Amino acid sequence: MLPHRIELATARPSRRQFLIGTVATASLVIGYRLIAADPAMAEDAAKPPANPFQAYVEISPDNRIVIHSSQFEMGQGSYFGIATLVMEELDGDWAQVDVVGASGNAALYGNLAWGGVAQGTGGSTSMTSSWQRYRQAGAAARAMLVAAAAKQWNVPAGEISVASGVLSHPSGTKATFGELATAAAGMQVPSELPLKQKAEWTQIGADGLKRYDSAGKTNGTEAYTIDLKMDGLLTAVMIHPPKFGATVKSFDAAKAKAFDGIVDVVQTPRGVAVVGNNMWTALKGRDLVIVEWDEAKAEQRGSAEILDQYRKLAAEPAKANARNDGDAVTALSSAASTVEGSYEFPYLAHASLEPLNAIARIGDDGTVEVWGGHQMPDLYQAVAAQVAGVTPDKVKLHVMKTGGSFGRRAVADADLIVEAVATAKALGPGKPVKIQWTRENDMRGGRYRPAYVHAIKAGLDKDGKLVALHDHIVGQSILGGSPFAAMIQNGVDATSVEGASNLPYAIPNVKIDLTTTDVNIPVLWWRSVGSTHTAYVIETFVDELAVAAKRDPVEFRLSMLEKHPRHAAVLRLAAEKAGWDKPLAEGRFRGVALHESFSTFVAEVVEITFKSASDFSVDRVVCAVDCGIAINPDQIRAQMEGGIGFGLGAILQEELTLTGGVVDQENYDTYTPLRIDQMPKVEVHIVASDEPPTGVGEPGVPPIGPAVANALRAATGKTIRSLPISKGLSA
């Protein structure tokens, strides 16, 4: 998704940064301001909050606990994790809980892993950012409820116990949270907020605790943006240029406007919106619009031509250097033996289940409301305000749950929001409109995982020790031209090289180079970002080097991990649980891979059955993960399983190609994520840890590709260097 740290902050809020207020219903509302990332922001943070009623925990008189999440829910379980943190300290009843998306106050909801300066969800940072503040919010709410009860009952606070949303005293007096909410709202925030010790936890780390929101997803009552209805809601479908970089030259909408049910046809910055009374009508009207495109600045090349250029660039001197330890060039020239190869990775689509959508409505007073999957709320609020011609305080975002993102809903230019607000503005006040992309819009609409080529070479000494490694990476920059462009240092986009520039193996001479290309195909972070290709290259190459050194692949890796005990621990655990040293039945083969992404360590061992290049199956995956303190073990297992399935589909068969600048794939029939009958049995083993929690939404993805490729190398003797495997294995 997003880069996992903009400037990783370990700041912890103090008691003075808490705030409390009462809302119209006399609810107890608790939150606190963030420690800012720079002195200017820190000075501003010391001032009274602009809106004291925005907060994290709201307890209402009707006995509901509403948790306002700073993190966006797209299926990864962030709402569940945050609720667990609050409930651990609050001692409420899960039947009372609801979690809603919050936005509009960076001081309250800024992502701490990004320095607290902006709200956003990505880079598997939700639990890192939430770990302290949501536990403190729960503890503050509990303390104030107890204080209110002590005052009303005229008893010492220390004699009051709290369990399952009820406060009680040995005298028999009891009250629910709701009955005390109004009184608690008037209590002073306690000067000390001691949090529970690990031995006292009943929610954090509870293996039997299941997601509170599973029922709605199972019975279909969960509401996503695609499901929303409101009075007068119109539906718009988009016509986008077939080539990236093309613009509307002119369009003829006469026939469409004459079609019954078509309300308007509107030009937007990226195309044309056809507005109808419903989806079916809008689609029929779309087919009647004639658009002439200006393709003077459009990308005309196909993916084959682009990759051919990348191969040539990989053979030339690099434009930038990301890591340079020792002298890799000299060490390679004097190595006892060398191995080298060229790897190729295609563009990949996000292909999330719910196609992109958003609803916008302009009020009679000029206010703007936008419903959607707001993965970067602060940015989207600013963009919506600019498009509508109002100030950001006039924009209200309704943060909806979504059916997947994998990075696609965190777009620097807010493409979908621009379309929705621009269309609503053209329609005028009081006419809400839903922009609903079709699957074809979604597949051909850009924002792909970039294509890459790696030219890599490594050298072994006479004892089989890895002494040098040089990797030249060629591909597009995700950060370039975005609000994050300042993160590019000395010509290096960290998202292009992460996973290679920080490889953990003790190699005395390492050189990681980068050549960034200029291609007019919109790219974006894709689940686990740079590690999607760097992990594959490094881990398949290390396996090949282990064979060249005549050493066991696990033992070979462990010999280079003395200074990285967490890497070594997950590798040992996965190998042990997979029975690495035990023989396999005829026709079955194993492969292993290890990778750290977003400060989470994952090792995976794969077992395959191999008959031929066109007849093999991935049968078993044993995964070991160290993500620090395991907040929701069941959810961690689910995310590892989901990440493995997501990554497996990508490396086996997913590929987005272009011909003459036009995307070839349109839907799930030609762009094929993993099918259910391809999903292997997955075993997940979580390393017990006292380290702060890190993320699990993405780190399961990177190791699966190289683990499968290494199993296939064990079966065939061939390292697959061109993905997807379905193409590379038969090449």
Side-chain angles (χ1 to χ4, degrees):
M1 291 186 263
L2 295 166
H4 69 290
R5 54 172 68 87
I6 291 178
E7 185 63 45
L8 187 59
T10 56
R12 295 183 178 180
S14 68
R15 184 201 67 82
R16 288 190 178 89
Q17 291 165 302
F18 269 77
L19 62 94
I20 181 169
T22 55
V23 295
T25 57
S27 301
L28 171 64
V29 183
I30 294 191
Y32 57 80
R33 294 183 65 86
L34 301 178
I35 293 176
D38 58 67
M41 290 288 292
E43 182 179 339
D44 181 67
K47 299 176 182 178
N51 184 345
F53 302 110
Q54 294 193 61
Y56 301 117
V57 182
E58 178 183 346
I59 300 173
S60 59
D62 65 356
N63 210 29
R64 299 297 300 165
I65 301 171
V66 179
I67 298 168
H68 297 263
S69 174
S70 65
Q71 302 304 114
F72 170 54
E73 175 62 69
M74 48 194 135
Q76 82 279 33
S78 61
Y79 280 10
F80 178 42
I82 285 172
T84 302
L85 299 178
V86 171
M87 294 294 280
E88 182 62 75
E89 299 294 336
L90 182 60
D91 291 316
D93 185 343
W94 276 99
Q96 300 171 270
V97 171
D98 190 18
V99 184
V100 298
S103 67
N105 191 329
L108 284 172
Y109 305 124
N111 189 319
L112 285 177
W114 301 355
V117 297
Q119 185 182 0
T121 304
S124 296
T125 58
S126 289
M127 293 305 101
T128 300
S129 179
S130 305
W131 173 240
Q132 282 291 113
R133 63 182 174 188
Y134 276 96
R135 286 191 299 152
Q136 289 189 336
R142 185 186 190 279
M144 296 170 73
L145 287 162
V146 169
K151 183 176 180 180
Q152 283 190 9
W153 302 342
N154 195 27
V155 298
E159 294 180 0
I160 296 173
S161 60
V162 185
S164 300
V166 176
L167 293 91
S168 58
H169 185 263
S171 65
T173 306
K174 294 183 178 181
T176 65
F177 284 2
E179 290 169 335
L180 289 165
T182 301
M187 294 293 105
Q188 184 177 359
V189 178
S191 59
E192 299 294 335
L193 281 171
L195 301 178
K196 291 181 181 178
Q197 298 299 304
K198 186 174 183 179
E200 301 174 279
W201 291 346
T202 61
Q203 307 297 312
I204 296 172
D207 218 1
L209 186 64
K210 306 300 181 183
R211 284 184 63 157
Y212 78 98
D213 57 352
S214 295
K217 295 181 179 180
T218 304
N219 60 28
T221 57
E222 185 73 80
Y224 300 91
T225 309
I226 200 169
D227 303 313
L228 286 184
K229 294 178 173 59
M230 59 184 68
D231 291 342
L233 180 65
L234 302 170
T235 300
V237 297
M238 295 303 306
I239 304 174
H240 291 139
K243 296 181 180 180
F244 298 113
T247 57
V248 176
K249 187 174 183 179
S250 65
F251 69 95
D252 182 354
K255 290 183 180 179
K257 289 183 176 181
F259 189 78
D260 187 33
I262 294 296
V263 176
D264 205 350
V265 179
V266 177
Q267 184 172 341
T268 73
R270 286 192 65 218
V272 177
V274 182
V275 186
N277 289 326
N278 52 55
M279 183 76 176
W280 177 251
T281 302
L283 287 169
K284 298 294 286 186
R286 178 200 61 183
D287 295 340
L288 299 174
V289 178
I290 300 171
V291 184
E292 184 178 0
W293 302 101
D294 180 352
E295 296 184 347
K297 297 182 180 179
E299 179 61 67
Q300 304 289 345
R301 292 173 295 176
S303 47
E305 291 93 334
I306 292 169
L307 282 172
D308 186 55
Q309 178 203 19
Y310 286 14
R311 293 184 199 105
K312 294 174 183 176
L313 289 171
E316 297 174 359
K319 302 297 185 183
N321 176 257
R323 178 174 174 179
N324 195 8
D325 298 348
D327 186 346
V329 175
T330 300
L332 284 168
S333 65
S334 60
S337 62
T338 59
V339 179
E340 60 185 306
S342 177
Y343 288 79
E344 298 181 7
F345 299 85
Y347 289 102
L348 293 175
H350 297 80
S352 50
L353 189 61
E354 182 184 12
L356 291 178
N357 45 39
I359 295 174
R361 179 173 64 193
I362 310 293
D364 292 333
D365 59 354
T367 56
V368 182
E369 292 182 271
V370 186
W371 289 258
H374 303 309
Q375 198 168 345
M376 299 177 70
D378 296 340
L379 177 61
Y380 290 0
Q381 183 182 35
V383 169
Q386 185 177 31
V387 173
V390 300
T391 54
D393 61 294
K394 295 289 187 182
V395 177
K396 178 177 176 55
L397 301 183
H398 300 270
V399 182
M400 301 295 297
K401 296 179 181 178
T402 70
S405 170
F406 314 119
R408 184 57 181 87
R409 297 178 190 272
V411 189
D413 66 0
D415 55 351
L416 179 69
I417 305 303
V418 170
E419 290 179 346
V421 176
T423 304
K425 182 181 181 181
L427 293 173
K431 294 182 179 179
V433 60
K434 178 193 294 182
I435 297 290
Q436 180 62 64
W437 284 23
T438 63
R439 179 67 61 199
E440 289 74 17
N441 287 144
D442 213 39
M443 199 69 70
R444 290 185 155 184
R447 320 305 190 202
Y448 308 118
R449 197 287 304 273
Y452 287 96
V453 166
H454 288 239
I456 189 168
K457 184 175 183 179
L460 299 164
D461 67 12
K462 60 183 179 57
D463 298 319
K465 180 182 177 182
L466 181 52
V467 294
L469 183 144
H470 180 201
D471 187 10
H472 182 187
I473 303 170
V474 178
Q476 284 175 257
S477 168
I478 294 173
L479 300 179
S482 79
F484 302 101
M487 293 173 61
I488 300 174
Q489 298 293 317
N490 300 316
V492 176
D493 179 338
T495 69
S496 296
V497 299
E498 62 183 349
S501 60
N502 62 329
L503 64 88
Y505 299 120
I507 309 169
N509 304 283
V510 176
K511 193 169 191 281
I512 306 296
D513 286 332
L514 175 66
T515 294
T516 297
T517 58
D518 184 12
V519 180
N520 199 4
I521 295 175
V523 295
L524 190 64
W525 19 72
W526 185 94
R527 193 175 185 178
S528 68
V529 201
S531 292
T532 61
H533 57 99
T534 58
Y536 187 92
V537 172
I538 296 298
E539 286 301 290
T540 57
F541 210 62
V542 166
D543 229 60
E544 191 170 345
L545 289 163
V547 173
K550 296 181 173 58
R551 298 171 70 179
D552 175 79
V554 170
E555 182 273 326
F556 186 62
R557 288 173 170 84
L558 288 172
S559 71
M560 299 184 287
L561 291 172
E562 183 179 348
K563 294 183 179 180
H564 292 273
R566 296 179 76 178
H567 289 82
V570 292
L571 179 57
R572 287 192 182 97
L573 181 59
E576 174 195 342
K577 296 296 183 180
W580 181 261
D581 294 329
K582 297 178 181 177
L584 287 166
E586 185 178 353
R588 288 178 70 89
F589 301 88
R590 286 193 188 100
V592 64
L594 168 70
H595 195 69
E596 174 196 353
S597 55
F598 313 108
S599 301
T600 292
F601 309 85
V602 180
E604 293 171 10
V605 175
V606 162
E607 289 184 16
I608 68 168
T609 298
F610 184 86
K611 296 180 180 178
S612 68
S614 59
D615 187 6
F616 72 91
S617 60
V618 181
D619 303 318
R620 182 190 183 205
V621 180
V622 178
C623 170
V625 54
D626 177 355
C627 56
I629 293 169
I631 296 172
N632 299 125
D634 187 63
Q635 185 63 22
I636 291 168
R637 283 189 286 268
Q639 283 301 295
M640 289 297 110
E641 292 164 356
I644 286 167
F646 186 89
L648 183 58
I651 63 103
L652 286 179
Q653 60 217 25
E654 291 179 32
E655 180 183 25
L656 188 130
T657 60
L658 299 93
T659 301
V662 177
V663 174
D664 298 318
Q665 293 73 27
E666 291 187 325
N667 211 312
Y668 287 148
D669 57 337
T670 49
Y671 188 91
T672 52
L674 196 74
R675 296 334 198 202
I676 191 65
D677 62 351
Q678 294 175 293
M679 185 67 189
K681 176 184 177 182
V682 178
E683 305 165 28
V684 179
H685 303 276
I686 303 170
V687 174
S689 176
D690 291 324
E691 296 292 328
T694 51
V696 294
E698 299 169 87
V701 175
I704 186 62
V708 171
N710 289 337
L712 286 167
R713 186 206 51 74
T716 65
K718 174 184 178 181
T719 299
I720 299 166
R721 304 198 198 279
S722 179
L723 291 182
I725 282 174
S726 58
K727 180 176 74 175
L729 190 60
S730 58

